[in-house]
Coordinates of all heavy atoms in Angstrom, one line a residue:
T1421 N 135.8 14.5 46.2 CA 135.8 15.4 45.1 C 135.8 14.6 43.8 O 136.6 13.7 43.7 CB 137.0 16.3 45.2 OG1 137.0 17.0 46.4 CG2 136.9 17.3 44.0
D1422 N 135.1 15.0 42.9 CA 135.0 14.3 41.6 C 135.9 14.9 40.6 O 135.7 16.1 40.2 CB 133.6 14.3 41.1 CG 133.4 13.5 39.8 OD1 134.4 13.0 39.2 OD2 132.3 13.3 39.4
S1423 N 137.0 14.2 40.2 CA 138.0 14.8 39.3 C 137.4 15.0 37.9 O 138.0 15.7 37.1 CB 139.2 14.0 39.3 OG 138.9 12.7 38.8
G1424 N 136.3 14.4 37.6 CA 135.7 14.6 36.3 C 134.9 15.8 36.1 O 134.4 16.1 35.0
L1425 N 134.6 16.5 37.2 CA 133.8 17.7 37.2 C 134.7 18.9 36.9 O 135.5 19.3 37.7 CB 133.1 17.9 38.5 CG 132.0 19.0 38.6 CD1 130.9 18.7 37.5 CD2 131.4 19.1 40.0
Q1426 N 134.5 19.5 35.7 CA 135.3 20.7 35.4 C 134.4 21.8 34.9 O 133.3 21.6 34.5 CB 136.3 20.3 34.2 CG 137.3 19.3 34.7 CD 138.2 18.9 33.5 OE1 138.3 19.5 32.5 NE2 138.9 17.8 33.7
S1427 N 134.9 23.0 34.9 CA 134.2 24.1 34.4 C 133.9 24.0 32.9 O 134.6 23.4 32.2 CB 134.9 25.4 34.7 OG 134.2 26.5 34.3
R1428 N 132.8 24.7 32.5 CA 132.5 24.8 31.1 C 133.4 25.8 30.4 O 134.1 26.6 31.1 CB 131.0 25.1 30.9 CG 130.6 26.4 31.5 CD 130.7 27.6 30.6 NE 130.9 28.8 31.3 CZ 131.8 29.7 31.0 NH1 132.6 29.6 30.0 NH2 131.9 30.9 31.7
S1429 N 133.4 25.9 29.1 CA 134.2 26.9 28.4 C 133.4 27.4 27.3 O 132.3 26.9 26.9 CB 135.6 26.4 28.0 OG 135.4 25.3 27.1
N1430 N 133.9 28.5 26.7 CA 133.3 29.1 25.4 C 131.8 29.5 25.6 O 131.0 29.2 24.7 CB 133.4 28.1 24.3 CG 134.9 27.8 24.0 OD1 135.7 28.7 24.0 ND2 135.2 26.5 23.7
L1431 N 131.5 30.1 26.7 CA 130.1 30.6 26.9 C 129.8 31.6 25.9 O 130.5 32.6 25.7 CB 129.9 31.1 28.3 CG 128.5 31.7 28.6 CD1 127.4 30.6 28.4 CD2 128.5 32.2 30.0
R1432 N 128.7 31.4 25.1 CA 128.2 32.4 24.1 C 126.8 32.8 24.5 O 126.0 32.0 24.8 CB 128.2 31.8 22.7 CG 129.6 31.5 22.2 CD 129.6 31.1 20.8 NE 129.0 32.2 20.0 CZ 128.5 32.0 18.8 NH1 128.6 30.9 18.2 NH2 128.0 33.0 18.2
A1433 N 126.5 34.1 24.3 CA 125.2 34.6 24.5 C 124.8 35.4 23.2 O 125.5 36.3 22.9 CB 125.1 35.5 25.7
V1434 N 123.7 34.9 22.6 CA 123.3 35.5 21.3 C 121.8 35.9 21.4 O 121.0 35.1 21.9 CB 123.5 34.5 20.2 CG1 123.0 35.1 18.8 CG2 124.9 34.1 20.1
P1435 N 121.5 37.1 21.1 CA 120.1 37.5 21.1 C 119.2 36.6 20.2 O 119.6 36.3 19.1 CB 120.0 38.9 20.5 CG 121.4 39.4 20.7 CD 122.3 38.3 20.6
A1436 N 118.2 36.0 20.8 CA 117.3 35.2 20.0 C 116.0 35.9 19.6 O 115.4 35.6 18.6 CB 116.9 34.0 20.9
S1437 N 115.7 37.0 20.3 CA 114.6 37.9 20.0 C 114.8 39.2 20.8 O 115.8 39.3 21.5 CB 113.2 37.3 20.3 OG 113.0 37.2 21.7
E1438 N 113.8 40.1 20.8 CA 114.0 41.3 21.6 C 113.9 41.0 23.1 O 114.5 41.8 23.9 CB 112.9 42.3 21.3 CG 113.1 43.0 19.9 CD 112.1 44.1 19.7 OE1 111.4 44.5 20.6 OE2 112.0 44.5 18.5
T1439 N 113.4 39.9 23.5 CA 113.2 39.6 24.9 C 113.8 38.2 25.3 O 113.4 37.7 26.4 CB 111.7 39.6 25.3 OG1 111.0 38.7 24.5 CG2 111.1 41.0 25.1
S1440 N 114.7 37.7 24.5 CA 115.3 36.4 24.9 C 116.7 36.3 24.4 O 117.1 37.0 23.4 CB 114.5 35.2 24.3 OG 114.5 35.2 22.9
V1441 N 117.5 35.5 25.1 CA 118.9 35.3 24.7 C 119.2 33.8 24.7 O 118.7 33.1 25.6 CB 119.8 36.0 25.8 CG1 121.3 35.6 25.6 CG2 119.7 37.5 25.7
S1442 N 119.9 33.4 23.7 CA 120.3 32.0 23.5 C 121.7 31.8 24.1 O 122.6 32.4 23.6 CB 120.2 31.5 22.1 OG 120.6 30.2 21.9
L1443 N 121.9 30.9 25.1 CA 123.2 30.6 25.6 C 123.6 29.3 25.1 O 122.9 28.4 25.0 CB 123.1 30.6 27.2 CG 122.6 31.8 27.9 CD1 122.4 31.5 29.4 CD2 123.5 33.0 27.7
S1444 N 124.9 29.2 24.9 CA 125.5 27.9 24.5 C 127.0 27.9 25.1 O 127.6 28.9 25.3 CB 125.6 27.6 23.0 OG 126.4 28.6 22.4
W1445 N 127.4 26.6 25.4 CA 128.8 26.5 26.0 C 129.3 25.1 25.7 O 128.6 24.3 25.2 CB 128.7 26.7 27.5 CG 127.7 25.7 28.2 CD1 128.0 24.5 28.7 CD2 126.4 26.0 28.5 NE1 126.9 23.9 29.3 CE2 125.9 24.8 29.1 CE3 125.5 27.0 28.2 CZ2 124.5 24.7 29.5 CZ3 124.2 26.9 28.6 CH2 123.7 25.7 29.3
T1446 N 130.6 25.0 25.9 CA 131.3 23.7 25.7 C 131.4 23.0 27.0 O 131.8 23.5 28.0 CB 132.7 24.0 25.1 OG1 132.6 24.7 23.9 CG2 133.5 22.6 24.9
K1447 N 130.9 21.7 27.0 CA 130.9 20.8 28.1 C 132.3 20.2 28.3 O 132.8 19.6 27.4 CB 129.9 19.7 27.9 CG 129.9 18.6 28.9 CD 128.8 17.7 28.5 CE 129.0 16.2 28.7 NZ 129.7 15.8 29.8
N1448 N 133.0 20.5 29.4 CA 134.3 20.0 29.7 C 134.2 18.9 30.8 O 135.3 18.3 31.1 CB 135.2 21.1 30.2 CG 135.5 22.1 29.1 OD1 135.5 21.7 27.9 ND2 135.5 23.3 29.4
S1449 N 133.1 18.6 31.4 CA 132.9 17.7 32.5 C 132.6 16.3 31.9 O 132.1 16.2 30.8 CB 131.8 18.1 33.4 OG 131.9 19.3 33.8
T1450 N 133.0 15.3 32.6 CA 132.6 13.9 32.2 C 131.6 13.3 33.1 O 131.0 12.2 32.8 CB 133.9 13.0 32.3 OG1 134.4 13.0 33.6 CG2 134.9 13.5 31.3
S1451 N 131.2 14.0 34.2 CA 130.3 13.3 35.2 C 129.4 14.3 35.9 O 129.0 14.1 37.0 CB 131.1 12.5 36.2 OG 131.9 13.4 37.0
E1452 N 129.1 15.4 35.2 CA 128.2 16.4 35.9 C 126.8 15.9 36.0 O 126.3 15.1 35.2 CB 128.2 17.7 35.2 CG 127.3 17.8 33.9 CD 127.9 17.2 32.7 OE1 129.1 16.9 32.7 OE2 127.2 17.1 31.7
T1453 N 126.0 16.4 37.0 CA 124.6 16.1 37.1 C 123.9 17.1 36.2 O 122.8 16.8 35.7 CB 124.1 16.3 38.6 OG1 124.9 15.4 39.4 CG2 122.7 16.0 38.7
G1454 N 124.4 18.3 36.0 CA 123.8 19.3 35.2 C 124.6 20.6 35.3 O 125.8 20.6 35.8
F1455 N 124.0 21.7 34.8 CA 124.7 23.0 34.8 C 123.7 24.0 35.5 O 122.5 24.0 35.3 CB 125.0 23.5 33.4 CG 126.0 22.7 32.8 CD1 125.7 21.5 32.0 CD2 127.4 23.0 32.9 CE1 126.7 20.8 31.4 CE2 128.4 22.3 32.3 CZ 128.1 21.2 31.5
K1456 N 124.3 24.8 36.4 CA 123.6 25.9 37.0 C 123.8 27.2 36.2 O 125.0 27.5 35.8 CB 124.1 26.1 38.4 CG 123.7 25.0 39.4 CD 124.2 25.3 40.8 CE 123.8 24.2 41.7 NZ 124.2 24.4 43.1
I1457 N 122.7 27.8 35.8 CA 122.8 29.1 35.1 C 122.5 30.2 36.0 O 121.4 30.2 36.6 CB 121.9 29.0 33.8 CG1 122.4 27.8 32.9 CG2 122.0 30.3 33.0 CD1 121.4 27.5 31.8
A1458 N 123.3 31.2 36.0 CA 123.1 32.4 36.9 C 123.1 33.6 36.0 O 123.8 33.7 35.0 CB 124.2 32.5 37.9
R1459 N 122.4 34.6 36.4 CA 122.3 35.9 35.6 C 122.2 37.1 36.5 O 121.6 37.0 37.6 CB 121.0 35.8 34.8 CG 120.8 37.1 33.9 CD 119.4 37.1 33.4 NE 118.4 37.4 34.4 CZ 117.2 37.0 34.4 NH1 116.7 36.1 33.5 NH2 116.4 37.3 35.4
K1460 N 122.8 38.2 36.1 CA 122.6 39.5 36.7 C 122.4 40.5 35.6 O 122.7 40.3 34.5 CB 123.9 39.8 37.6 CG 125.1 40.3 36.8 CD 126.1 40.8 37.7 CE 127.2 41.6 36.9 NZ 127.8 42.6 37.7
D1461 N 121.8 41.6 36.0 CA 121.7 42.7 35.0 C 122.6 43.8 35.4 O 123.2 43.8 36.5 CB 120.2 43.1 34.9 CG 119.6 43.6 36.2 OD1 120.3 44.0 37.1 OD2 118.3 43.5 36.3
E1462 N 122.6 44.8 34.6 CA 123.5 46.0 34.9 C 123.0 46.6 36.2 O 121.8 46.7 36.4 CB 123.5 47.0 33.7 CG 122.1 47.4 33.2 CD 122.1 48.1 31.9 OE1 123.2 48.6 31.5 OE2 121.1 48.1 31.2
G1463 N 124.0 47.0 37.0 CA 123.6 47.6 38.3 C 123.6 46.6 39.4 O 123.6 46.9 40.6
S1464 N 123.5 45.3 39.1 CA 123.5 44.2 40.2 C 124.9 43.8 40.4 O 125.8 43.8 39.6 CB 122.7 43.0 39.7 OG 121.3 43.4 39.5
F1465 N 125.1 43.3 41.6 CA 126.5 42.8 42.0 C 126.5 41.2 42.1 O 127.6 40.6 42.0 CB 126.9 43.4 43.3 CG 127.2 44.9 43.2 CD1 126.2 45.8 43.7 CD2 128.3 45.4 42.5 CE1 126.4 47.1 43.6 CE2 128.5 46.7 42.4 CZ 127.5 47.6 42.9
S1466 N 125.4 40.6 42.3 CA 125.4 39.2 42.5 C 124.7 38.5 41.3 O 124.1 39.1 40.5 CB 124.6 38.8 43.8 OG 123.2 39.2 43.6
Y1467 N 125.0 37.2 41.2 CA 124.5 36.3 40.1 C 123.6 35.3 40.7 O 124.1 34.1 40.9 CB 125.7 35.6 39.4 CG 126.5 36.5 38.4 CD1 127.5 37.3 38.8 CD2 126.2 36.4 37.0 CE1 128.3 38.0 37.9 CE2 126.9 37.1 36.1 CZ 128.0 37.9 36.6 OH 128.7 38.7 35.7
P1468 N 122.4 35.5 40.9 CA 121.5 34.5 41.4 C 121.2 33.4 40.3 O 121.2 33.7 39.1 CB 120.2 35.2 41.8 CG 120.2 36.5 41.0 CD 121.7 36.8 40.8
D1469 N 121.1 32.1 40.8 CA 120.8 31.1 39.8 C 119.4 31.3 39.3 O 118.5 31.7 40.0 CB 120.8 29.7 40.5 CG 122.2 29.3 40.9 OD1 123.2 29.8 40.4 OD2 122.3 28.3 41.7
I1470 N 119.2 31.1 38.0 CA 117.9 31.3 37.4 C 117.3 29.9 36.9 O 116.1 29.8 36.8 CB 117.9 32.3 36.2 CG1 118.9 31.8 35.1 CG2 118.2 33.7 36.7 CD1 118.8 32.6 33.8
T1471 N 118.2 28.9 36.7 CA 117.7 27.6 36.3 C 118.9 26.6 36.4 O 120.0 27.0 36.6 CB 117.1 27.6 34.9 OG1 116.4 26.4 34.7 CG2 118.2 27.8 33.8
T1472 N 118.5 25.4 36.3 CA 119.5 24.3 36.1 C 119.1 23.5 35.0 O 117.9 23.4 34.6 CB 119.6 23.4 37.4 OG1 118.3 22.8 37.7 CG2 120.1 24.2 38.6
T1473 N 120.1 22.8 34.3 CA 119.8 21.9 33.2 C 120.2 20.5 33.6 O 120.9 20.3 34.7 CB 120.7 22.3 32.0 OG1 122.0 22.0 32.2 CG2 120.5 23.8 31.6
G1474 N 119.9 19.6 32.8 CA 120.3 18.2 33.1 C 121.7 18.0 32.5 O 122.3 18.8 31.9
A1475 N 122.3 16.8 32.8 CA 123.6 16.4 32.4 C 123.7 16.4 30.8 O 122.7 16.0 30.2 CB 123.9 15.0 32.9
G1476 N 124.8 16.9 30.3 CA 125.0 16.9 28.9 C 124.3 18.0 28.1 O 124.6 18.1 26.9
I1477 N 123.5 18.8 28.8 CA 122.8 19.9 28.1 C 123.8 21.0 27.9 O 124.5 21.4 28.8 CB 121.6 20.4 28.9 CG1 120.6 19.3 29.1 CG2 120.9 21.6 28.2 CD1 120.0 18.7 27.9
V1478 N 123.9 21.6 26.7 CA 124.9 22.6 26.4 C 124.3 23.9 25.8 O 125.0 24.7 25.2 CB 126.1 22.1 25.5 CG1 126.9 21.1 26.2 CG2 125.5 21.6 24.2
N1479 N 123.0 24.1 26.0 CA 122.3 25.3 25.6 C 121.1 25.6 26.4 O 120.5 24.7 27.0 CB 122.0 25.3 24.1 CG 121.2 24.0 23.7 OD1 120.3 23.7 24.3 ND2 121.7 23.4 22.7
Y1480 N 120.7 26.8 26.4 CA 119.5 27.3 27.2 C 119.1 28.6 26.6 O 119.9 29.4 26.2 CB 119.9 27.5 28.6 CG 118.8 28.1 29.5 CD1 117.7 27.4 29.8 CD2 118.9 29.5 29.8 CE1 116.7 28.0 30.6 CE2 117.9 30.1 30.6 CZ 116.8 29.3 31.0 OH 115.8 29.9 31.7
V1481 N 117.8 28.8 26.5 CA 117.2 30.1 26.0 C 116.5 30.8 27.2 O 115.6 30.2 27.8 CB 116.2 29.9 24.8 CG1 115.6 31.2 24.4 CG2 116.9 29.2 23.6
N1482 N 117.0 31.9 27.5 CA 116.5 32.7 28.6 C 115.4 33.7 28.0 O 115.8 34.6 27.2 CB 117.6 33.5 29.3 CG 117.2 34.2 30.6 OD1 117.9 35.0 31.1 ND2 116.0 33.9 31.1
T1483 N 114.2 33.5 28.4 CA 113.1 34.3 27.8 C 112.6 35.3 28.9 O 112.9 35.2 30.0 CB 111.9 33.4 27.3 OG1 111.5 32.6 28.5 CG2 112.4 32.4 26.3
G1484 N 111.7 36.2 28.4 CA 111.0 37.1 29.3 C 111.9 38.2 29.8 O 111.7 38.8 30.8
L1485 N 112.9 38.6 29.0 CA 113.9 39.6 29.4 C 113.3 41.0 29.0 O 112.5 41.1 28.1 CB 115.2 39.4 28.8 CG 115.9 38.1 29.1 CD1 117.1 37.9 28.2 CD2 116.2 38.0 30.5
A1486 N 113.8 42.0 29.8 CA 113.3 43.4 29.4 C 114.1 43.9 28.3 O 115.4 43.7 28.2 CB 113.6 44.3 30.7
T1487 N 113.5 44.6 27.4 CA 114.2 45.2 26.2 C 115.1 46.3 26.7 O 114.7 47.0 27.7 CB 113.2 45.7 25.1 OG1 112.3 46.6 25.7 CG2 112.4 44.5 24.5
G1488 N 116.2 46.5 26.1 CA 117.1 47.6 26.4 C 118.0 47.4 27.6 O 118.7 48.3 28.0
K1489 N 117.9 46.3 28.3 CA 118.7 46.0 29.4 C 119.9 45.1 29.0 O 119.8 44.3 28.1 CB 117.9 45.2 30.5 CG 117.3 46.1 31.6 CD 116.8 45.2 32.7 CE 117.1 45.9 34.0 NZ 116.4 45.2 35.1
T1490 N 121.0 45.2 29.7 CA 122.2 44.4 29.5 C 122.2 43.3 30.6 O 122.0 43.6 31.8 CB 123.5 45.2 29.6 OG1 123.4 46.2 28.6 CG2 124.7 44.3 29.4
Y1491 N 122.4 42.0 30.2 CA 122.4 40.9 31.1 C 123.8 40.2 31.0 O 124.4 40.2 30.0 CB 121.3 39.9 30.8 CG 119.9 40.5 31.0 CD1 119.2 41.1 30.0 CD2 119.3 40.4 32.3 CE1 118.0 41.6 30.2 CE2 118.1 40.9 32.5 CZ 117.4 41.5 31.5 OH 116.1 42.0 31.7
Y1492 N 124.2 39.7 32.2 CA 125.5 38.9 32.3 C 125.2 37.5 32.8 O 124.3 37.4 33.7 CB 126.4 39.7 33.2 CG 126.7 41.1 32.8 CD1 125.9 42.1 33.2 CD2 127.8 41.4 31.9 CE1 126.1 43.4 32.8 CE2 128.0 42.7 31.5 CZ 127.2 43.7 32.0 OH 127.4 45.0 31.6
Y1493 N 125.9 36.5 32.3 CA 125.6 35.1 32.6 C 126.8 34.4 33.1 O 127.9 34.7 32.7 CB 125.0 34.4 31.4 CG 123.7 34.9 31.0 CD1 123.6 36.0 30.1 CD2 122.5 34.4 31.5 CE1 122.3 36.4 29.7 CE2 121.3 34.8 31.1 CZ 121.2 35.9 30.2 OH 119.9 36.3 29.8
K1494 N 126.6 33.4 34.0 CA 127.6 32.4 34.4 C 127.0 31.1 34.3 O 125.8 30.9 34.6 CB 128.0 32.7 35.8 CG 128.9 33.9 36.0 CD 129.3 34.0 37.4 CE 130.2 35.2 37.7 NZ 130.7 35.3 39.0
V1495 N 127.7 30.1 33.8 CA 127.3 28.7 33.8 C 128.3 27.8 34.5 O 129.5 27.9 34.2 CB 127.1 28.2 32.3 CG1 126.7 26.8 32.2 CG2 126.0 29.1 31.6
K1496 N 127.9 27.0 35.4 CA 128.8 26.1 36.1 C 128.2 24.7 36.2 O 127.1 24.5 36.6 CB 129.0 26.7 37.5 CG 130.0 26.0 38.4 CD 130.1 26.7 39.7 CE 131.1 25.9 40.6 NZ 131.3 26.5 41.9
A1497 N 129.1 23.7 36.0 CA 128.7 22.3 36.1 C 128.6 22.0 37.6 O 129.2 22.6 38.5 CB 129.8 21.4 35.6
F1498 N 127.6 21.1 37.9 CA 127.5 20.7 39.3 C 127.1 19.2 39.4 O 126.7 18.6 38.4 CB 126.4 21.5 40.0 CG 125.0 21.1 39.6 CD1 124.2 20.2 40.3 CD2 124.4 21.7 38.5 CE1 122.9 19.9 39.9 CE2 123.1 21.3 38.1 CZ 122.4 20.4 38.8
N1499 N 127.3 18.6 40.6 CA 126.9 17.3 40.9 C 126.0 17.3 42.1 O 126.2 18.0 43.0 CB 128.1 16.4 41.3 CG 128.8 15.8 40.1 OD1 128.1 15.5 39.1 ND2 130.1 15.5 40.2
A1500 N 124.9 16.5 42.0 CA 124.0 16.4 43.1 C 124.7 15.5 44.2 O 125.4 14.6 43.9 CB 122.7 15.8 42.7
T1501 N 124.4 15.9 45.4 CA 124.9 15.0 46.5 C 123.8 14.3 47.1 O 122.7 14.8 47.2 CB 125.6 15.9 47.6 OG1 124.7 16.9 48.0 CG2 126.9 16.6 47.0
A1502 N 124.1 13.1 47.6 CA 123.1 12.2 48.2 C 122.8 12.7 49.6 O 123.5 13.3 50.3 CB 123.5 10.8 48.2

């Protein structure tokens, strides 16, 4: 287990347009491979991963969203395993 791998904090989601949301977060890890971004919409129970970022990336713009829908996000640091 890598003690340098910690959860992110301060996740913010801000509308970037009618069909996109800009996500940003605070990086608390010292050795992550990247971050997994998961999303669900209203009425869903699970958060499937929609993308991953590289190490040190602290923002992502989710495009192609439906207008008038509510979306929920989770961001988690991860390490690749050999």
Side-chain angles (χ1 to χ4, degrees):
T1421 304
D1422 185 351
S1423 62
L1425 189 62
Q1426 298 178 13
S1427 180
R1428 58 91 208 137
S1429 60
N1430 300 320
L1431 177 60
R1432 292 189 58 200
V1434 178
S1437 73
E1438 286 188 13
T1439 59
S1440 65
V1441 171
S1442 178
L1443 303 174
S1444 62
W1445 57 90
T1446 301
K1447 172 180 145 34
N1448 295 323
S1449 305
T1450 58
S1451 62
E1452 81 279 351
T1453 301
F1455 291 90
K1456 292 183 181 181
I1457 300 172
R1459 178 192 74 214
K1460 75 171 193 154
D1461 59 26
E1462 51 193 338
S1464 296
F1465 294 102
S1466 63
Y1467 282 85
D1469 290 343
I1470 58 170
T1471 194
T1472 58
T1473 71
I1477 303 297
V1478 294
N1479 52 48
Y1480 172 75
V1481 177
N1482 188 193
T1483 61
L1485 302 172
T1487 57
K1489 265 190 140 172
T1490 301
Y1491 294 94
Y1492 303 89
Y1493 294 89
K1494 290 184 178 184
V1495 177
K1496 183 177 180 181
F1498 74 95
N1499 272 333
T1501 55

